[in-house]
Amino acid sequence: MLTFYNEHHAQHEGRFAILGGEAVACADTPGRLDAVLAELARRGLGRIVTPHGVPLVSLERIHAPRYLHFLRSAWSAWLALDARHGGRDILPWIWPRTVTRRGDATSFPEPDDFGARLGCYAGDSASPLTAGTWTAAKTGADCAVNAAHALRLGEPVTFALTRPPGQHAGADYFRGACFLNNAALAAQHLLDDGLQRVAILDLAYSHGSGTQDIFYERGDVPFVSIHADPHTSYPFYAGHAGETGAGAGLGCTLNLPLARDAGPAHWFAALETACLRLAAFAPQALVVSLGVDTAGAAQPFAQPSASSCVSPPAGALPPGRIAPHFGLSGADFLRAGERLAYLGLPTVFVLEGGGAGAELGIAVVNVLEGFETAA
């Protein structure tokens, strides 16, 4: 297995997010990748390399050029407003009223005011832009595209080990601590490199809303997601079972929402449904959005669920709610990797959400090792 490691990921580290009316710590920290990297090294699983840079035109195959320009220039524009901004992250304070369909942010002239421009592209107040966000996100996109290209050069399985994650980022917006959609970029590169049909499977606890949005009206990239029911869990506005695609993509989206207190048996039943549908789609390659925030025991607690990448504020909801997990164990992640290997497809894994510490590394590498062993 070949792993493409984002050596610049630590340049993005938000100071805090705004949730429930208060500042809370961002859960997407550099320690997440450190844990996975350490576990890969401990097991000696494959080779770890750094990616070659890819041109911006590759990113424009998924993301709107105006949006990319904003991400690249946001920090410079922020500093130009006030030199004191160097010690502050960028969080939005005004939004136009829009839905999350592709093209919304670019359907009207871009405002001159920085705050108004920011609101065009920001989907929430829990995704701080920092001095190093563009470098970290761009290098993550490089990892994803390189991992996809390696499949075309004969690698049977590759891994994009990167942060910030990407599953909530749309063509022209960021949210859920995601700025560039790595899974979408990997799938698009495989198509641009000669394949006709590439599937994406999202295994994170929260629905891959940005990925669905990007491919919702396309028939060449079927999208399947197993996630917490959006009636009660982030991202709330996408991921319902009735969302099956539109236009050329009608029937190419499959959402498998689960109750937030669902256990491993329900999750594996959904995984089997997902695999059967993927086989019916008959893709030539698979991209897996690998979120392992499905690990751990579901327990009542007094905090709301939020993005898999952001810590929720305490005490915002009454007791009795369920912590965001499906209770998967280390052995379950091995089993999941084995099941995906039986699809017999060249596969790119892209890291998405999950906690921190050794448990994250074990869960992620278990999926990869299970896949390699079965393959």
Side-chain angles (χ1 to χ4, degrees):
M1 185 186 70
L2 196 56
T3 292
F4 291 88
Y5 171 63
N6 182 352
E7 61 184 345
H8 298 301
H9 74 91
Q11 293 192 39
H12 171 75
E13 185 174 9
R15 291 173 173 83
F16 61 86
I18 301 296
L19 287 170
E22 62 179 318
V24 299
C26 295
D28 178 34
T29 64
R32 298 180 61 247
L33 248 63
D34 296 339
V36 179
L37 191 65
E39 187 64 16
L40 282 171
R42 188 183 74 81
R43 300 194 206 181
L45 190 64
R47 288 194 300 128
I48 300 172
V49 299
T50 55
H52 297 293
V54 302
L56 280 178
V57 67
S58 295
L59 275 61
E60 291 175 357
R61 297 288 291 140
I62 289 296
H63 293 287
R66 198 170 88 171
Y67 171 63
L68 294 173
H69 176 74
F70 174 80
L71 287 182
R72 293 176 67 196
S73 61
W75 190 256
S76 296
W78 179 239
L79 292 181
L81 292 176
D82 189 329
R84 294 173 298 176
H85 283 173
R88 306 169 184 167
D89 291 348
I90 306 173
L91 286 168
W93 56 88
I94 186 172
W95 285 273
R97 179 179 172 86
T98 63
V99 293
T100 59
R101 282 283 167 251
R102 181 171 183 162
D104 289 338
T106 54
S107 61
F108 47 81
E110 189 177 58
D112 293 333
D113 180 83
F114 177 81
R117 289 202 308 277
L118 174 64
C120 290
Y121 307 112
D124 58 35
S125 59
S127 307
L129 280 165
T130 75
T133 297
W134 171 253
T135 298
K138 170 59 169 63
T139 309
D142 295 343
C143 286
V145 172
N146 277 250
H149 191 66
L151 291 192
R152 301 293 288 149
L153 296 178
E155 292 287 338
V157 56
T158 58
F159 178 36
L161 176 55
T162 186
R163 54 168 293 278
Q167 64 172 158
H168 300 306
D172 54 10
Y173 60 84
F174 63 91
R175 67 182 308 214
C178 302
F179 301 91
L180 296 175
N181 196 305
N182 301 312
L185 289 164
Q188 185 62 54
H189 180 79
L190 289 167
L191 294 172
D192 291 342
D193 206 29
L195 299 188
Q196 285 76 50
R197 199 166 172 85
V198 178
I200 298 178
L201 172 63
D202 195 311
L203 298 179
Y205 181 85
S206 55
H207 176 256
S209 52
T211 312
Q212 174 177 295
D213 194 4
I214 289 167
F215 295 113
Y216 200 68
E217 298 183 11
R218 291 176 51 173
D220 53 352
V221 184
F223 173 72
V224 179
S225 179
I226 306 169
H227 53 272
D229 190 336
H231 282 102
T232 57
S233 299
Y234 189 92
F236 303 111
Y237 308 114
H240 298 278
E243 297 164 15
T244 60
L250 185 62
C252 292
T253 293
L254 174 64
N255 285 309
L256 299 167
L258 300 175
R260 51 188 294 143
D261 56 348
H266 294 94
W267 191 87
F268 275 103
L271 179 63
E272 188 61 27
T273 299
C275 288
L276 292 174
R277 179 63 70 89
L278 287 168
F281 281 137
Q284 297 162 288
L286 177 66
V287 177
V288 178
S289 280
L290 183 57
V292 295
D293 38 0
T294 50
Q299 302 176 27
F301 77 148
Q303 296 177 336
S305 68
S307 162
S308 57
C309 310
V310 183
S311 299
L317 288 181
R321 299 300 292 273
I322 304 298
H325 298 296
F326 291 141
L328 301 189
S329 66
D332 290 328
F333 288 107
L334 280 167
R335 178 183 167 192
E338 291 172 356
R339 181 62 184 91
L340 296 180
Y342 294 144
L343 290 170
L345 295 170
T347 300
V348 178
F349 288 92
V350 179
L351 186 65
E352 299 287 2
E359 295 81 5
L360 171 71
I362 292 170
V364 169
V365 180
N366 276 4
V367 174
L368 302 175
E369 186 169 345
F371 187 99
E372 283 239 303
T373 299

